[in-house]
Amino acid sequence: MNTNTITNKDNNFSKNILILGGADGIGFAISKVFEKLNYNIYVTSRHTHENTNNIKYFTLEATKENSWLNFKELISKNNVLFDIIINTIGILHDEKDNIYPEKSIKTLDTNFFMKNIEINSLVSALCIKHMIDFISKSEKTVIAHLTARLGSISDNNIGGWLSYRASKAAQHMIIKTASIELSRNYNKLIVIGLHPGTVSTKLSKPYLRTAKKVFDPDQSAKKLTEVIENLDYEATGKVFDYSGKVIPY
Ligand SMILES: NC(=O)c1ccc[n+]([C@@H]2O[C@H](COP(=O)([O-])OP(=O)(O)OC[C@H]3O[C@@H](n4cnc5c(N)ncnc54)[C@H](OP(=O)(O)O)[C@@H]3O)[C@@H](O)[C@H]2O)c1
């Protein structure tokens, strides 16, 4: 078994991938790519879904500690270590409460800000906190969190979308900080952020009209998989775009 490749080219064994939020959007497209690579796929969602041959679905309210504990109990029964974990959970607007990203700080809504922090930042920290128990210390493993270029502080030239930007910048700090700590005991673990590009999903739908380049979820998923495949251990703690270029914090 080649333990240093992350994509599965050997049909005689299966690697394991966990995709948080993988029942829809970019996460779902990623699950389809890894299905072709013969992975055992574990997907979380807030909703229930029917298992398929290769995909097992679990309900998880990823902002809630209790829900993580229940999920861990179920995963323990599967006796599994993950080769790849991809966190694709995120929000940009709240359709139910009709709240959209701020054009001005004057329209900042406290609940919406806190919701961005909970879903876009806290979930990344909870994912690492709880899933580290299901990571090998001797095999190459990747934990990738989908993020956005908008979370880069140094790349911010136009302002706006304060809650989303702040929550994604906080997510980058979580990635960097956790990567330093974990490198001490898990020297084969790579923790990164991944910007998927502008992708046509329900998250981006209201904003696509003015976007310069828009990917289908399948296109983005293939590019992100290539980035993951080509990561070396120096990558840990960094944020990359879909073409493998580093995005500065
Ligand atoms: N689409 C883009 O253009 C774009 C650009 C840059 C960055 N991104 C980032 O890429 C990631 C995935 O985005 P996407 O476009 O695939 O969005 P999406 O289609 O809306 O999927 C996001 C997933 O997050 C989960 N989710 C949504 N609200 C949640 C909540 N309140 N609590 C917990 N989970 C929640 C959903 O899973 P369930 O409903 O199944 O629980 C959903 O499948 C996000 O982090 C986003 O910021 C996207």
Side-chain angles (χ1 to χ4, degrees):
M1 183 192 317
N2 181 349
T3 53
N4 276 320
T5 57
I6 208 77
T7 46
N8 207 21
K9 293 186 174 120
D10 180 347
N11 283 334
N12 293 323
F13 75 100
S14 258
K15 291 197 173 194
N16 301 309
I17 183 169
L18 170 66
I19 308 171
L20 306 181
D24 201 355
I26 302 166
F28 179 72
I30 291 172
S31 76
K32 294 287 132 194
V33 173
F34 280 90
E35 204 169 22
K36 289 201 185 111
L37 293 167
N38 199 32
Y39 266 68
N40 297 316
I41 301 161
Y42 297 78
V43 165
T44 75
S45 166
R46 288 164 299 168
H47 315 286
T48 51
H49 301 272
E50 287 278 315
N51 289 344
T52 67
N53 276 349
N54 302 328
I55 309 183
K56 284 189 179 143
Y57 289 93
F58 296 83
T59 24
L60 175 71
E61 281 287 350
T63 57
K64 305 273 184 294
E65 290 271 7
N66 274 350
S67 189
W68 277 103
L69 296 177
N70 292 338
F71 176 56
K72 280 171 85 166
E73 215 177 298
L74 292 173
I75 287 289
S76 300
K77 287 184 190 144
N78 284 261
N79 200 17
V80 66
L81 292 179
F82 295 113
D83 299 284
I84 304 179
I85 296 176
I86 307 189
N87 167 22
T88 74
I89 291 172
I91 58 154
L92 174 52
H93 56 263
D94 188 339
E95 208 169 296
K96 204 167 74 178
D97 289 340
N98 198 27
I99 303 185
Y100 290 83
E102 309 87 354
K103 290 191 175 137
S104 160
I105 199 163
K106 289 183 185 162
T107 61
L108 183 78
D109 176 282
T110 303
N111 288 333
F112 181 65
F113 181 87
M114 295 313 291
K115 203 166 174 181
N116 271 266
I117 294 287
E118 261 200 320
I119 297 165
N120 294 337
S121 333
L122 176 68
V123 164
S124 292
L126 291 178
C127 164
I128 298 170
K129 172 183 172 182
H130 291 293
M131 290 299 100
I132 197 67
D133 296 347
F134 302 92
I135 295 295
S136 160
K137 286 193 173 169
S138 56
E139 306 278 326
K140 184 175 183 182
T141 305
V142 174
I143 303 180
H145 300 274
L146 292 201
T147 176
R149 196 184 297 281
L150 289 180
S152 166
I153 292 174
S154 53
D155 189 61
N156 183 0
N157 300 308
I158 56 168
W161 293 22
L162 193 145
S163 297
Y164 188 69
R165 280 187 193 275
S167 65
K168 291 293 186 181
Q171 186 190 29
H172 296 171
M173 181 57 89
I174 290 162
I175 289 165
K176 175 73 180 169
T177 304
S179 76
I180 294 169
E181 177 189 328
L182 295 172
S183 66
R184 296 181 189 125
N185 288 315
Y186 294 82
N187 61 9
K188 293 210 154 188
L189 173 62
I190 301 167
V191 186
I192 56 158
L194 274 181
H195 167 62
T198 303
V199 187
S200 55
T201 63
K202 65 179 187 304
L203 178 140
S204 61
K205 204 171 163 203
Y207 322 98
L208 293 179
R209 206 170 35 87
T210 53
K212 285 191 197 122
K213 181 163 66 171
V214 180
F215 295 127
D216 288 334
D218 295 354
Q219 287 174 306
S220 174
K222 279 193 196 112
K223 286 174 188 291
L224 296 176
T225 306
E226 273 169 34
V227 177
I228 289 172
E229 164 73 358
N230 291 315
L231 291 171
D232 58 29
Y233 295 108
E234 298 294 304
T236 198
K238 295 182 183 154
V239 178
F240 297 88
D241 73 7
Y242 53 84
S243 70
K245 261 199 218 125
V246 171
I247 296 177
Y249 302 116

